Amino acid sequence: MASDTATTASCRLTGTPLEVVLDLGEQPLGNGFLSSADDFASEYFYSMRCGFATDSLLFQLIDQPDPGQMFHSNYAFQSSTSGFMSAHFKALSQTLAEEFLAVNADPLVVEIGSNDGVFLKHFASRGVRHVGVEPSDNVATIAEAQGVQVERRFFSADTAAVIRESNGPAHLIYAANALCHIPDIRGIVEGIDLLLAEDGVFVFEDPYLGDVVKLASYDQIYDEHVFLFSGMSVARIFTEAGLELIDLEHLPTHGGSMRYTLGRRGVRKAKPRVESTLASEREQGLHETVTFCELADRVARSASDLKRLLEHLAGQGHQIVSYGATSKSTTVYNYAKIGPELISEIYDSTPNKQGKFSPGVHIPVVPESDFVDSGARFAFLGAWNHEKEIRMKNEYFEARGGRWITHVPQVRLLGD
Ligand code: SAH
Ligand code: TYD
């Protein structure tokens, strides 16, 4: 049942209407785990359709549920659940401090979407002035317990003004896997412009459109991910605020991400890889609607291939489970129509998801620590982006004949 509470988000730079280029059907909230079967009947669904804006070059959701429904006092995603990502943020805090903060005696670092403090705690412990902007109370509380200063609100031009008023300008504004969550892209641009020091840098990283097109990783799309950015779209969006790209760095995180570094025009020299990355985006067609129409065909094939493989294995009498109750897998299960009849349970390390049912298709989520006792021969990598970490810590699974299933870049059994 589609709910009428979905809002058409203010996620456009101009008023040009968007054509649907990819339709992923009726979807629940990606992180909307349900506590009890009594909640199934009233579950919230919305139409997940994507469009491509030929002016801003943004690939984006056409409608998005109200952000208040997704980011609240019981937000399920906790950054520190991945040891790999924790190490990533620790190393980055050091690199950014050396590259951009060393010249300043008393710099200010602001993070948008600071979650449980996985990045900012490394500044807090070194006594660096910082502010985390985080609307989800439960994760903000975990960050505060580690000495991180948190503004419990949504980042916007107003929030930027409040932070500047009390702390002065920011020398580093950072956001990881957060900007793509914020529908009001104009408010972001304005807020960054308001808050950034003259010689400051704005660094953000998000799942990368180029990888989604290359890998047909359509599960990077869910309610929280309003935008999939490219270097070309970011350059366009921030132009009007007088910001320019000074670096673009491709990252392996979250199944393929891009880190964008922006500074005020003319203040810092752009690295040569900015030009070369933009050129390869053109070659890939990230500026053309036709690219996304072709993607839609590959996505439909990927979903039907996955369902066919699971049905084949189940038909042979095998139990299939899943590993990682990701938002990404919510998109896959609901689009491909895969439920408990094909995947009996999902193993996950996040306490807040355990004992609940997955959104939309209602597969039970159980503690990751029980995986060792699972008799299943096949496990779908719901968290395919953490393949290395998950396979390493569960080597015994393959040693006893278990097989991992993935759907990225194509549906297959790992090891074949
Ligand atoms: N940076 C972390 C968390 C990513 S999850 C990491 O990479 O692991 C995205 C986070 O952004 C969530 O904690 C969510 O509550 C927060 N968020 C959502 N909308 C926001 C907004 N408008 N301003 C600031 N944070 C926001
Ligand atoms: P993530 O890939 O960040 O997913 P999304 O952004 O799509 O929600 O989340 C990883 C999920 O997988 C999270 O619920 C924790 C779980 N997980 C494990 O259970 N074990 C692991 O070893 C790892 C790396 C993740």
Side-chain angles (χ1 to χ4, degrees):
M1 176 190 65
S3 161
D4 58 6
T5 53
T7 57
T8 299
S10 57
C11 53
R12 305 296 328 286
L13 275 190
T14 69
T16 327
L18 288 183
E19 248 180 74
V20 178
V21 290
L22 173 61
D23 187 345
L24 293 164
E26 292 298 295
Q27 292 275 350
L29 299 181
N31 266 318
F33 293 87
L34 300 123
S35 301
S36 139
D38 296 342
D39 303 330
F40 293 175
S42 58
E43 191 173 4
Y44 171 86
F45 283 85
Y46 72 105
S47 230
M48 199 162 82
R49 298 171 307 149
C50 307
F52 178 67
T54 48
D55 45 9
S56 63
L57 307 184
L58 279 166
F59 180 84
Q60 61 184 93
L61 289 183
I62 292 180
D63 299 309
Q64 194 212 18
D66 173 5
Q69 286 207 76
M70 298 179 274
F71 311 114
H72 43 57
S73 58
N74 199 19
Y75 180 60
F77 178 76
Q78 221 177 290
S79 303
S80 304
T81 51
S82 164
F84 179 83
M85 288 308 292
S86 298
H88 167 85
F89 290 122
K90 182 176 183 191
L92 180 67
S93 69
Q94 240 140 10
T95 311
L96 292 177
E98 280 160 23
E99 195 170 350
F100 298 118
L101 304 179
V103 291
N104 204 298
D106 187 21
L108 175 69
V109 179
V110 173
E111 185 183 5
I112 303 171
S114 48
N115 200 273
D116 62 4
V118 69
F119 173 74
L120 279 184
K121 69 180 178 189
H122 301 294
F123 292 95
S125 63
R126 282 184 246 135
V128 177
R129 286 193 306 130
H130 64 275
V131 180
V133 183
E134 178 50 68
S136 300
D137 277 330
N138 57 327
V139 287
T141 301
I142 301 171
E144 283 171 345
Q146 299 175 86
V148 173
Q149 309 267 347
V150 185
E151 277 285 337
R152 292 176 183 234
R153 48 194 293 170
F154 288 92
F155 186 82
S156 62
D158 284 352
T159 303
V162 167
I163 296 175
R164 182 160 184 146
E165 177 75 23
S166 356
N167 303 275
H171 303 91
L172 167 64
I173 304 179
Y174 177 66
N177 310 301
L179 223 64
C180 66
H181 291 69
I182 306 178
D184 182 11
I185 193 75
R186 281 192 169 282
I188 294 289
V189 174
E190 238 180 90
I192 299 294
D193 189 21
L194 261 169
L195 186 56
L196 195 68
E198 277 313 300
D199 59 348
V201 284
F202 173 41
V203 181
F204 74 97
E205 58 195 69
D206 272 304
Y208 178 50
L209 181 62
D211 287 309
V212 172
V213 170
K214 189 166 117 202
L215 305 172
S217 44
Y218 65 95
D219 51 355
Q220 294 285 13
I221 305 163
Y222 51 93
D223 53 342
E224 294 178 25
H225 285 181
V226 195
F227 299 112
L228 282 170
F229 296 108
S230 63
M232 288 193 283
S233 60
V234 167
R236 286 211 184 176
I237 298 160
F238 285 95
T239 294
E240 67 181 75
L243 293 173
E244 63 183 2
L245 277 172
I246 55 170
D247 199 9
L248 282 174
E249 184 179 0
H250 188 249
L251 307 169
T253 49
H254 285 294
S257 297
M258 186 68 86
R259 181 177 295 146
Y260 308 89
T261 302
L262 296 118
R264 295 203 185 271
R265 192 170 298 126
V267 174
R268 292 171 189 268
K269 203 164 171 290
K271 292 200 177 154
R273 65 183 172 186
V274 171
E275 250 343 285
S276 57
T277 308
L278 295 177
S280 54
E281 288 188 350
R282 275 204 158 259
E283 262 168 50
Q284 205 189 349
L286 298 188
H287 58 303
E288 291 171 324
T289 307
V290 63
T291 304
F292 305 101
C293 297
E294 285 165 10
L295 173 67
D297 291 341
R298 288 158 58 216
V299 166
R301 238 180 352 257
S302 168
S304 63
D305 286 353
L306 178 62
K307 189 155 185 192
R308 201 170 323 113
L309 173 63
L310 299 183
E311 283 173 342
H312 170 72
L313 297 172
Q316 292 184 329
H318 294 295
Q319 185 197 0
I320 310 163
V321 298
S322 176
Y323 203 110
T326 54
S327 322
K328 285 187 274 298
S329 60
T330 297
T331 297
V332 174
Y333 300 146
N334 286 277
Y335 177 59
K337 305 211 181 325
I338 294 168
E341 68 294 345
L342 287 174
I343 291 184
S344 56
E345 60 240 343
I346 306 175
Y347 292 87
D348 195 282
S349 60
T350 317
N352 203 5
K353 298 180 184 175
Q354 296 163 1
K356 296 190 176 166
F357 296 92
S358 76
V361 296
H362 311 147
I363 305 171
V365 182
V366 295
E368 177 188 40
S369 51
D370 294 351
F371 186 64
V372 65
D373 299 321
S374 161
R377 167 97 201 282
F378 294 93
F380 174 66
L381 268 174
W384 58 269
N385 49 316
H386 297 291
E387 175 191 327
K388 207 165 145 201
E389 184 171 355
I390 291 174
R391 283 178 87 180
M392 259 170 64
K393 74 180 183 205
N394 297 293
E395 272 174 352
Y396 61 85
F397 175 63
E398 288 174 86
R400 71 187 181 203
R403 300 294 301 272
W404 294 107
I405 302 167
T406 191
H407 69 296
V408 177
Q410 63 268 322
V411 174
R412 68 195 202 284
L413 294 172
L414 292 179
D416 267 357

